[in-house]
């Protein structure tokens, strides 16, 4: 039996499609591939995104922008000097895109105008820092990506 060129092309297409389907099925059923969303409550956070935009714009308009600096002791978050540091409350979140087990949050408690995140809590690599803070019923937000 001879196979002409038309039949050969059809067999090649079928083999290629079977090859692709095999890998699609194999990857979607493989438990080692992590198909989680970036955060567990992604949809809930997406609905509250407008509040984040308003808080970030409020920080710009009220000249309440933070400075984040890398130091030998860790990461220093410097709050604006015109605000009384005793009245500042809030939360600092550090998010590690490559490993969700390294993420952590802690409350803001200041003894002066800056907050230090110690070096022993941070690994080298990329970190997303979110500082959500309140001052006299005003909500401010600062987000920054940095490589440590």
């Amino acid at each position: 039996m001879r196979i002409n060129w038309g039949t050969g092309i059809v067999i090649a297409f079928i083999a290629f499609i079977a090859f692709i389907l095999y890998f699609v099925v194999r990857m979607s059923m493989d438990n080692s591939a992590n198909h989680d969303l970036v955060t567990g409550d992604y949809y809930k956070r997406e609905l509250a995104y407008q509040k984040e935009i308003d808080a970030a714009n409020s920080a710009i308009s009220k000249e309440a922008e933070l400075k984040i600096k890398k130091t030998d002791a860790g990461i220093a978050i410097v709050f604006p000097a015109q605000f009384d540091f005793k009245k500042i409350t809030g939360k600092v979140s550090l998010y590690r895109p490559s490993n969700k087990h390294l993420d952590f949050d802690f409350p803001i408690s200041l003894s002066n105008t800056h907050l230090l995140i110690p070096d022993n809590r941070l690994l080298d690599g990329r970190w997303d820092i979110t500082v959500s803070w309140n001052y006299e019923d005003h909500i401010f937000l600062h987000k920054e990506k940095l490589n440590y």
Side-chain angles (χ1 to χ4, degrees), residues 35-73:
H35 300 293
D36 289 340
L37 293 173
V38 175
T39 58
D41 55 349
Y42 173 78
Y43 296 110
K44 183 179 174 183
R45 289 187 62 185
E46 187 66 29
L47 293 174
Y49 191 62
Q50 185 60 44
K51 292 179 184 175
E52 289 184 15
I53 293 171
D54 294 341
N57 289 337
S58 177
I60 293 169
S61 68
K62 295 192 184 343
E63 297 178 3
E65 297 182 58
L66 305 178
K67 293 181 181 87
I68 298 179
K69 299 184 286 188
K70 181 180 172 185
T71 64
D72 293 336

Side-chain angles (χ1 to χ4, degrees), residues 64-120:
E65 297 182 58
L66 305 178
K67 293 181 181 87
I68 298 179
K69 299 184 286 188
K70 181 180 172 185
T71 64
D72 293 336
I75 295 176
I77 302 172
V78 181
F79 288 86
Q82 71 263 26
F83 296 117
D84 182 14
F85 64 86
K86 295 173 188 166
K87 296 180 182 178
I88 295 175
T89 60
K91 179 177 80 165
V92 176
S93 300
L94 277 93
Y95 168 72
R96 180 73 180 229
S98 62
N99 187 349
K100 69 181 177 180
H101 300 294
L102 296 175
D103 300 348
F104 61 95
D105 300 335
F106 58 91
I108 295 173
S109 61
L110 298 174
S111 59
N112 53 21
T113 60
H114 69 277
L115 175 71
L116 181 67
I117 301 168
D119 189 20
N120 61 359

